[in-house]
mmCIF file of all heavy atoms in Angstrom:
data_model
loop_
_atom_site.group_PDB
_atom_site.id
_atom_site.type_symbol
_atom_site.label_atom_id
_atom_site.label_comp_id
_atom_site.label_asym_id
_atom_site.label_seq_id
_atom_site.Cartn_x
_atom_site.Cartn_y
_atom_site.Cartn_z
ATOM 1 N N SER A 354 104.553 117.945 84.222
ATOM 2 C CA SER A 354 104.348 116.688 83.496
ATOM 3 C C SER A 354 104.706 116.840 82.023
ATOM 4 O O SER A 354 105.155 115.883 81.383
ATOM 5 C CB SER A 354 102.900 116.211 83.642
ATOM 6 O OG SER A 354 101.991 117.142 83.093
ATOM 7 N N LYS A 357 108.780 116.908 81.752
ATOM 8 C CA LYS A 357 109.441 115.960 82.651
ATOM 9 C C LYS A 357 110.755 115.419 82.089
ATOM 10 O O LYS A 357 111.603 114.925 82.841
ATOM 11 C CB LYS A 357 108.499 114.808 82.995
ATOM 12 C CG LYS A 357 108.185 113.869 81.841
ATOM 13 C CD LYS A 357 107.313 112.718 82.333
ATOM 14 C CE LYS A 357 107.040 111.710 81.228
ATOM 15 N NZ LYS A 357 106.273 110.554 81.723
ATOM 16 N N GLY A 645 101.192 112.065 75.791
ATOM 17 C CA GLY A 645 102.076 111.929 76.944
ATOM 18 C C GLY A 645 101.670 112.695 78.168
ATOM 19 O O GLY A 645 101.956 112.287 79.297
ATOM 20 N N THR A 646 100.988 113.828 77.983
ATOM 21 C CA THR A 646 100.689 114.663 79.149
ATOM 22 C C THR A 646 99.527 114.124 79.978
ATOM 23 O O THR A 646 99.589 114.135 81.212
ATOM 24 C CB THR A 646 100.375 116.101 78.690
ATOM 25 O OG1 THR A 646 99.365 116.062 77.677
ATOM 26 C CG2 THR A 646 101.615 116.752 78.106
ATOM 27 N N ILE A 647 98.481 113.641 79.353
ATOM 28 C CA ILE A 647 97.308 113.158 80.097
ATOM 29 C C ILE A 647 97.446 111.704 80.526
ATOM 30 O O ILE A 647 97.036 111.314 81.622
ATOM 31 C CB ILE A 647 96.021 113.347 79.262
ATOM 32 C CG1 ILE A 647 95.629 114.830 79.235
ATOM 33 C CG2 ILE A 647 94.866 112.513 79.814
ATOM 34 C CD1 ILE A 647 94.379 115.135 78.459
ATOM 35 N N PHE A 648 98.056 110.875 79.679
ATOM 36 C CA PHE A 648 98.077 109.433 79.949
ATOM 37 C C PHE A 648 99.337 108.967 80.673
ATOM 38 O O PHE A 648 99.467 107.789 80.993
ATOM 39 C CB PHE A 648 97.896 108.658 78.634
ATOM 40 C CG PHE A 648 96.544 108.865 78.026
ATOM 41 C CD1 PHE A 648 96.333 109.858 77.084
ATOM 42 C CD2 PHE A 648 95.469 108.095 78.428
ATOM 43 C CE1 PHE A 648 95.078 110.071 76.536
ATOM 44 C CE2 PHE A 648 94.201 108.297 77.889
ATOM 45 C CZ PHE A 648 94.007 109.294 76.942
ATOM 46 N N SER A 649 100.234 109.893 80.945
ATOM 47 C CA SER A 649 101.444 109.556 81.690
ATOM 48 C C SER A 649 101.114 109.318 83.162
ATOM 49 O O SER A 649 100.146 109.872 83.699
ATOM 50 C CB SER A 649 102.454 110.703 81.577
ATOM 51 O OG SER A 649 103.551 110.494 82.440
ATOM 52 N N THR A 650 101.937 108.517 83.812
ATOM 53 C CA THR A 650 101.701 108.222 85.226
ATOM 54 C C THR A 650 101.935 109.440 86.119
ATOM 55 O O THR A 650 101.478 109.454 87.265
ATOM 56 C CB THR A 650 102.624 107.078 85.702
ATOM 57 O OG1 THR A 650 103.986 107.419 85.413
ATOM 58 C CG2 THR A 650 102.279 105.771 85.007
ATOM 59 N N ASN A 651 102.651 110.441 85.625
ATOM 60 C CA ASN A 651 102.874 111.626 86.463
ATOM 61 C C ASN A 651 102.002 112.804 86.048
ATOM 62 O O ASN A 651 102.240 113.933 86.436
ATOM 63 C CB ASN A 651 104.355 112.038 86.454
ATOM 64 C CG ASN A 651 104.783 112.656 85.134
ATOM 65 O OD1 ASN A 651 104.157 112.427 84.105
ATOM 66 N ND2 ASN A 651 105.858 113.425 85.169
ATOM 67 N N SER A 652 100.954 112.525 85.280
ATOM 68 C CA SER A 652 100.011 113.578 84.920
ATOM 69 C C SER A 652 99.307 114.097 86.166
ATOM 70 O O SER A 652 98.911 113.326 87.048
ATOM 71 C CB SER A 652 98.966 113.049 83.933
ATOM 72 O OG SER A 652 97.938 114.001 83.728
ATOM 73 N N THR A 653 99.134 115.415 86.220
ATOM 74 C CA THR A 653 98.458 116.029 87.371
ATOM 75 C C THR A 653 97.021 116.438 87.047
ATOM 76 O O THR A 653 96.378 117.105 87.838
ATOM 77 C CB THR A 653 99.243 117.277 87.825
ATOM 78 O OG1 THR A 653 99.345 118.207 86.726
ATOM 79 C CG2 THR A 653 100.630 116.900 88.299
ATOM 80 N N SER A 654 96.519 116.021 85.881
ATOM 81 C CA SER A 654 95.184 116.453 85.450
ATOM 82 C C SER A 654 94.066 115.745 86.197
ATOM 83 O O SER A 654 92.939 116.223 86.246
ATOM 84 C CB SER A 654 95.013 116.210 83.949
ATOM 85 O OG SER A 654 95.017 114.819 83.657
ATOM 86 N N GLY A 655 94.343 114.569 86.768
ATOM 87 C CA GLY A 655 93.316 113.825 87.488
ATOM 88 C C GLY A 655 92.276 113.198 86.583
ATOM 89 O O GLY A 655 91.209 112.793 87.043
ATOM 90 N N ILE A 656 92.562 113.078 85.298
ATOM 91 C CA ILE A 656 91.582 112.543 84.347
ATOM 92 C C ILE A 656 91.685 111.026 84.245
ATOM 93 O O ILE A 656 90.686 110.318 84.356
ATOM 94 C CB ILE A 656 91.772 113.198 82.960
ATOM 95 C CG1 ILE A 656 91.488 114.697 83.044
ATOM 96 C CG2 ILE A 656 90.863 112.534 81.921
ATOM 97 C CD1 ILE A 656 91.836 115.471 81.779
ATOM 98 N N ILE A 657 92.899 110.513 84.026
ATOM 99 C CA ILE A 657 93.099 109.075 83.857
ATOM 100 C C ILE A 657 93.688 108.445 85.112
ATOM 101 O O ILE A 657 93.344 107.322 85.480
ATOM 102 C CB ILE A 657 94.032 108.791 82.654
ATOM 103 C CG1 ILE A 657 93.497 109.483 81.386
ATOM 104 C CG2 ILE A 657 94.176 107.290 82.428
ATOM 105 C CD1 ILE A 657 92.117 109.038 80.963
ATOM 106 N N ASN A 658 94.602 109.164 85.774
ATOM 107 C CA ASN A 658 95.282 108.649 86.973
ATOM 108 C C ASN A 658 95.880 107.270 86.720
ATOM 109 O O ASN A 658 95.675 106.317 87.479
ATOM 110 C CB ASN A 658 94.317 108.601 88.164
ATOM 111 C CG ASN A 658 94.047 109.990 88.725
ATOM 112 O OD1 ASN A 658 94.853 110.902 88.577
ATOM 113 N ND2 ASN A 658 92.902 110.161 89.362
ATOM 114 N N SER A 659 96.655 107.193 85.642
ATOM 115 C CA SER A 659 97.245 105.915 85.251
ATOM 116 C C SER A 659 98.420 105.538 86.153
ATOM 117 O O SER A 659 99.232 106.378 86.534
ATOM 118 C CB SER A 659 97.738 106.000 83.802
ATOM 119 O OG SER A 659 98.490 104.859 83.457
ATOM 120 N N GLU A 665 103.339 103.636 80.307
ATOM 121 C CA GLU A 665 104.385 104.632 80.532
ATOM 122 C C GLU A 665 105.631 104.299 79.714
ATOM 123 O O GLU A 665 106.241 105.183 79.107
ATOM 124 C CB GLU A 665 104.732 104.691 82.024
ATOM 125 C CG GLU A 665 105.669 105.816 82.393
ATOM 126 C CD GLU A 665 105.022 107.185 82.294
ATOM 127 O OE1 GLU A 665 103.783 107.268 82.161
ATOM 128 O OE2 GLU A 665 105.768 108.187 82.344
#
Side-chain angles (χ1 to χ4, degrees):
S354 62
K357 69 176 183 176
T646 52
I647 286 181
F648 294 93
S649 171
T650 55
N651 72 338
S652 172
T653 58
S654 66
I656 296 172
I657 306 300
N658 285 335
S659 171
E665 188 70 12

